[in-house]
């Protein structure tokens, strides 16, 4: 019977064993490497403590509402990112865009979490290999920071003297040369891709094997793994903070991090950076929130979850800033270099600056092992959710694959791993930076705009609130309605335009990328965005009937499959929708756009 089949499909899809697994998975997904290497640098660069004003406002008016919106959609429909758009099929291309964004980003993100594995392998040597310049990979430009008296002053004066020279001729620290010349074995430019870096490839494969073992049984395995992977980084961050704040010069770094520069608030770029950081750290528009929420109990009160998780995420970002800048302040104290010279963002902070500072600590091996383990687990959690979002989207679109989920998971990991090999070549870091710069930044903002537009304007905010209240059995405050229907679309449209307007030409190691690579970067962004209008055209031309207006009206209406996955909840919901529409149509059932669907559902379940 159809009822039994639907129930069995829901059982086969799986659910979280309890609420804690969902919350830990959300925290693991939202709190990633970017909280350590991106937020602290953005904060100090964009006004220190003053940056918290736009950041927290964006969290309040954009981050939390989008998290609540996506978790509500996923929990209500219990489905992945593609089939989610049964709510308004004309926009189904946004679901395909989400999958493409995740494929591209997961491919290079897993390479990033392979770096800590290679660092860890080098942490068990008698001497940390990035502690001095006496290694085969070091060049004549290597200068060890720190030391004593005259040697220290000479080294630091030399380092500062060469700061304004080209990267090729500039003095570099041992940690810088270790990362670029030993770990990456980097080439001179993106145009020289060179050969595969075998140690990095092996660590990349190992990272993929660990990822597969953790997600091969879906939420059943992920839900258990996150108890450790989501909590261990918090423990390490706390330990590193205590150690960092006890170091000489630590408070100079902290002061530099949080000292407010209020004049920066008049800079539109600061507000754009705050908004983009919300998207990259919290994860709306990536499909992960929708997918994780789709495994929730239908009656779960996700409103509280959607406030708690974003606040913890942003609190962790701020907390990580104190961890990072306390150690950077110590490094500045030890070397005599200004904090502004020491502080950097991106991979340089995680794999150059912080490791360099670790060498100046007592027992550097212990701190190095803890730090790189933390980075690995921070990245691993985010990778879980991204690859699972791809797998669930495909399986929900083609339910016959559900009984072969382990094979689908293996195939997805294998294909994405093959794609990731382009980033473990000599010129791989240049490609990684290129795709990280272009592939997702604009796409996820547009995807979020499509989501709020569908909820607020095509499906209708009243219908969505009715569904949400039916699901969590609580009244929804009118403020959510205002945010989803008016405020979020305006903010997202502004961010979309501002991000394009302020998009600067990418560089890495002082090397400007050639024109063809910039075109490639925009193509990596466009390949996901183009899915939205392409599917619209396909839907209107081939899947709908009538004149253009009738086709559009039909394409934005929910399909018969939209609604709760469980049949008992589905029957209750359809009755609610049916009688609600009759009341709004002067008690004329023929005017109810869902009347035919209601009749079909009742027929199916009798």
């Amino acid at each position: 019977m159809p009822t039994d089949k639907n129930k069995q499909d829901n059982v086969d899809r799986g659910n979280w064993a309890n609420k804690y697994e969902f919350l830990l998975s959300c925290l693991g997904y939202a709190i990633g490497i970017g909280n350590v290497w991106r937020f602290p640098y953005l904060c100090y660069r964009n006004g220190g403590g003053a940056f918290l004003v736009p950041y927290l406002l964006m969290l309040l008016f954009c981050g939390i509402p989008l998290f609540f919106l996506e978790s509500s959609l996923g929990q209500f429909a219990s489905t992945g990112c593609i089939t989610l758009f049964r709510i308004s099929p004309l926009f189904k291309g946004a679901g395909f865009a989400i999958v493409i964004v995740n494929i591209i980003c997961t491919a290079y993100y897993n390479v990033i979490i392979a770096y800590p594995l290679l660092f860890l392998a080098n942490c068990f040597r008698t001497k940390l290999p990035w502690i001095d310049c006496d290694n085969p990979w070091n060049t004549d430009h290597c200068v060890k920071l720190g030391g004593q008296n005259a040697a220290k002053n000479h080294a630091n004066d030399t380092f500062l003297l060469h700061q304004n020279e080209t990267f090729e001729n500039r003095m570099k620290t041992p940690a810088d040369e270790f990362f670029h010349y030993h770990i990456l074995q980097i080439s001179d430019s993106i145009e020289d891709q060179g050969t595969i870096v075998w140690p990095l490839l092996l660590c990349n494969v190992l990272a993929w094997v660990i990822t597969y073992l953790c997600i091969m049984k879906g939420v059943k395995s992920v839900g258990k793994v996150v108890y450790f992977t989501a909590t261990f980084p918090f423990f390490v961050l706390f330990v590193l903070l205590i150690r960092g704040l006890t170091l000489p010069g630590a408070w100079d770094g902290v002061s530099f991090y949080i000292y407010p520069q209020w004049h920066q608030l008049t800079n539109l770029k600061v507000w754009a950076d705050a908004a983009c950081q919300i998207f990259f750290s919290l994860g709306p528009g990536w499909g992960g929130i929708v997918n994780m929420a789709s495994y929730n109990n239908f009656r779960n009160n996700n409103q509280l979850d959607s406030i708690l998780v974003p606040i913890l995420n942003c609190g962790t970002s701020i907390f990580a800033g104190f961890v990072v800048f306390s150690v950077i302040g110590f490094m500045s104290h030890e070397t005599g270099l200004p904090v502004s010279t020491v502080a950097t963002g991106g991979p340089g902070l995680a794999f150059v600056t912080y490791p360099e500072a670790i060498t100046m600590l007592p027992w550097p091996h212990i701190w190095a092992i803890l730090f790189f383990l933390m980075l690995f687990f921070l990245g691993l959690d985010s990778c879980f959710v991204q690859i699972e979002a791809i797998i669930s989207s495909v399986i929900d679109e083609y339910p016959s694959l559900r009984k072969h989920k382990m094979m689908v998971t293996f195939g997805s990991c294998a294909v994405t791993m093959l794609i990731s090999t382009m980033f473990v070549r000599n010129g791989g870091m240049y490609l990684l930076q290129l795709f990280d710069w272009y592939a997702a930044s604009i796409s996820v903002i547009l995807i979020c705009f499509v989501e709020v537009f569908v909820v607020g304007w095509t499906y209708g905010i009243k219908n969505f609130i009715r569904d949400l209240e039916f699901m969590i059995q609580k009244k929804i405050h009118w403020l959510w309605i205002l945010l989803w229907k008016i405020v979020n679309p305006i903010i997202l449209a502004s961010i979309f335009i501002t991000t394009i307007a302020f998009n600067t030409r990418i560089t890495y190691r002082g090397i400007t990328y050639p024109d063809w690579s910039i075109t490639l970067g925009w193509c990596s962004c466009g390949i996901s965005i183009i899915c939205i209008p392409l599917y619209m055209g396909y839907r209107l031309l081939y899947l709908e009937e009538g004149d253009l207006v009738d086709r559009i009206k039909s394409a934005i209406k929910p399909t018969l499959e939209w609604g709760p996955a469980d049949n008992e909840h589905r029957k209750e919901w359809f009755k609610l929708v049916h009688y609600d529409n009759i009341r709004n149509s002067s008690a004329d059932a023929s005017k109810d756009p869902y009347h035919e669907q209601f009749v079909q559902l009742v027929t199916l379940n009798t």
Side-chain angles (χ1 to χ4, degrees):
M1 292 177 65
T3 301
D4 294 336
K5 181 180 184 302
N6 289 345
K7 284 185 177 180
Q8 186 59 45
D9 284 346
N10 205 33
V11 170
D12 291 343
R13 193 174 189 277
N15 288 97
W16 299 113
N18 54 61
K19 190 182 184 75
Y20 297 111
E21 292 184 0
F22 168 67
L23 289 175
L24 287 173
S25 297
C26 285
L27 287 173
Y29 172 57
I31 299 169
I33 294 178
N35 295 73
V36 174
W37 81 19
R38 182 175 169 85
F39 176 82
Y41 177 73
L42 279 179
C43 191
Y44 111 79
R45 192 186 70 181
N46 288 316
F51 181 70
L52 296 180
V53 174
Y55 183 67
L56 294 177
L57 285 175
M58 285 298 173
L59 169 69
L60 183 63
F61 291 107
C62 201
I64 292 176
L66 288 175
F67 195 101
F68 189 21
L69 178 83
E70 289 199 345
S71 65
S72 298
L73 288 169
Q75 182 174 309
F76 180 77
S78 298
T79 192
C81 308
I82 298 176
T83 43
L84 176 73
F85 286 92
R86 292 167 178 167
I87 189 174
S88 190
L90 183 64
F91 299 94
K92 189 176 180 178
F96 293 108
I98 291 172
V99 172
I100 291 174
V101 166
N102 274 290
I103 290 173
I104 295 173
C105 294
T106 304
Y108 72 71
Y109 194 80
N110 211 283
V111 174
I112 292 175
I113 68 173
Y115 297 155
L117 289 178
L118 199 48
F119 268 92
L120 280 170
N122 284 275
C123 286
F124 295 95
R125 297 186 180 186
T126 305
K127 178 183 70 175
L128 291 178
W130 62 87
I131 204 167
D132 56 35
C133 298
D134 302 326
N135 303 286
W137 56 81
N138 291 127
T139 69
D140 294 338
H141 299 288
C142 181
V143 173
K144 180 181 179 181
L145 301 180
Q148 296 294 326
N149 303 328
K152 168 183 172 178
N153 294 331
H154 174 72
N156 295 343
D157 290 344
T158 304
F159 187 84
L160 285 169
L161 180 65
H162 289 270
Q163 283 296 295
N164 295 323
E165 296 185 5
T166 63
F167 190 90
E168 292 80 3
N169 297 323
R170 194 169 65 203
M171 291 295 140
K172 306 178 187 70
T173 65
D176 187 304
E177 293 204 341
F178 175 78
F179 178 57
H180 287 104
Y181 299 145
H182 183 66
I183 297 291
L184 301 181
Q185 300 179 30
I186 198 165
S187 63
D188 293 332
S189 73
I190 192 174
E191 294 177 292
D192 179 15
Q193 284 300 300
T195 59
I196 288 177
V197 180
W198 291 104
L200 191 54
L201 176 65
L202 291 175
C203 288
N204 184 42
V205 172
L206 178 59
W208 275 112
V209 170
I210 295 172
T211 300
Y212 172 72
L213 292 175
C214 292
I215 67 171
M216 64 181 181
K217 293 185 178 180
V219 292
K220 293 179 181 178
S221 54
V222 172
K224 302 300 179 287
V225 172
V226 292
Y227 280 103
F228 176 75
T229 59
T231 56
F232 178 75
F234 283 97
F235 167 75
V236 177
L237 278 174
F238 182 75
V239 171
L240 290 175
L241 176 67
I242 298 301
R243 182 65 184 111
L245 292 178
T246 60
L247 295 170
W251 290 101
D252 293 334
V254 170
S255 175
F256 189 83
Y257 166 55
I258 63 173
Y259 182 79
Q261 303 169 36
W262 299 111
H263 66 277
Q264 291 273 34
L265 296 182
T266 60
N267 185 351
L268 195 60
K269 179 68 165 61
V270 172
W271 292 80
D273 280 348
C276 287
Q277 179 60 17
I278 290 293
F279 282 96
F280 277 97
S281 64
L282 196 54
W286 294 79
I289 298 170
V290 170
N291 185 61
M292 287 185 295
S294 72
Y295 296 107
N296 274 345
N297 182 290
F298 184 77
R299 297 297 185 191
N300 173 57
N301 183 4
N302 67 312
Q303 183 174 199
L304 296 176
D305 304 340
S306 303
I307 296 172
L308 177 64
V309 172
I311 289 175
L312 284 175
N313 169 65
C314 293
T316 303
S317 294
I318 297 169
F319 180 74
F322 286 96
V323 175
V324 169
F325 272 87
S326 64
V327 176
I328 286 178
F330 165 69
M331 183 176 177
S332 173
H333 176 271
E334 290 295 294
T335 62
L337 296 173
V339 176
S340 58
T341 301
V342 176
T344 58
L349 177 59
F351 300 116
V352 175
T353 304
Y354 210 95
E356 185 74 41
I358 285 173
T359 63
M360 301 176 186
L361 294 170
W363 309 302
H365 291 77
I366 295 174
W367 302 113
I369 290 170
L370 284 175
F371 179 72
F372 290 116
L373 276 175
M374 178 192 72
L375 286 186
F376 176 71
F377 286 119
L378 281 173
L380 193 63
D381 279 334
S382 300
C383 203
F384 286 168
V385 179
Q386 285 182 292
I387 194 73
E388 183 65 27
I390 299 170
I391 295 162
S392 294
S393 296
V394 172
I395 289 178
D396 288 339
E397 180 72 1
Y398 305 101
S400 60
L401 294 174
R402 189 160 292 146
K403 58 185 177 182
H404 306 295
K405 182 167 183 179
M406 287 184 65
M407 289 304 299
V408 174
T409 302
F410 178 80
S412 300
C413 290
V415 169
T416 318
M417 183 182 70
L418 288 174
I419 297 172
S420 71
T421 56
M422 72 171 71
F423 303 111
V424 295
R425 301 174 71 88
N426 298 121
M429 176 55 88
Y430 297 108
L431 284 175
L432 190 153
Q433 291 288 317
L434 182 73
F435 285 113
D436 188 49
W437 189 271
Y438 288 102
S441 57
I442 298 173
S443 303
V444 295
I445 297 170
L446 182 60
I447 290 166
C448 285
F449 180 82
V450 170
E451 290 173 349
V452 296
F453 181 78
V454 166
V455 166
W457 296 94
T458 66
Y459 184 64
I461 193 67
K462 288 184 178 179
N463 292 333
F464 182 69
I465 293 299
R466 175 203 61 211
D467 298 345
L468 188 48
E469 290 178 344
F470 168 74
M471 180 175 70
I472 67 173
Q473 303 284 283
K474 290 183 180 295
K475 294 293 291 183
I476 298 299
H477 197 278
W478 62 266
L479 183 60
W480 295 111
I481 300 174
L482 177 65
L483 288 168
W484 288 329
K485 191 174 178 68
I486 306 295
V487 176
N488 286 167
I490 292 174
I491 291 177
L492 289 167
S494 302
I495 296 170
F496 185 77
I497 294 169
T498 305
T499 303
I500 295 175
F502 284 104
N503 193 281
T504 55
R505 196 178 186 91
I506 183 174
T507 62
Y508 185 67
R509 301 174 75 224
I511 300 170
T512 302
Y513 281 53
D515 291 339
W516 67 264
S517 64
I518 303 301
T519 303
L520 176 63
W522 282 112
C523 286
S524 71
C525 173
I527 196 173
S528 57
I529 290 177
I530 198 67
C531 292
I532 300 174
L534 281 180
Y535 186 83
M536 285 181 173
Y538 170 73
R539 183 95 198 181
L540 294 175
L541 287 173
Y542 299 105
L543 301 182
E544 304 294 344
E545 297 179 352
D547 59 30
L548 181 60
V549 174
D550 289 337
R551 288 173 184 242
I552 293 175
K553 286 182 177 179
S554 176
I556 63 175
K557 284 175 52 178
T559 67
L560 178 62
E561 292 81 10
W562 170 251
D566 181 81
N567 263 340
E568 294 304 316
H569 294 138
R570 191 172 179 81
K571 281 193 291 184
E572 293 178 40
W573 175 73
F574 256 115
K575 289 176 183 177
L576 175 68
V577 172
H578 175 67
Y579 293 119
D580 186 39
N581 285 330
I582 289 178
R583 284 195 302 272
N584 294 333
S585 305
S586 302
D588 184 353
S590 65
K591 293 182 179 180
D592 175 17
Y594 296 91
H595 177 69
E596 183 180 347
Q597 297 182 15
F598 174 73
V599 171
Q600 289 186 46
L601 183 76
V602 172
T603 302
L604 283 172
N605 290 278
T606 57

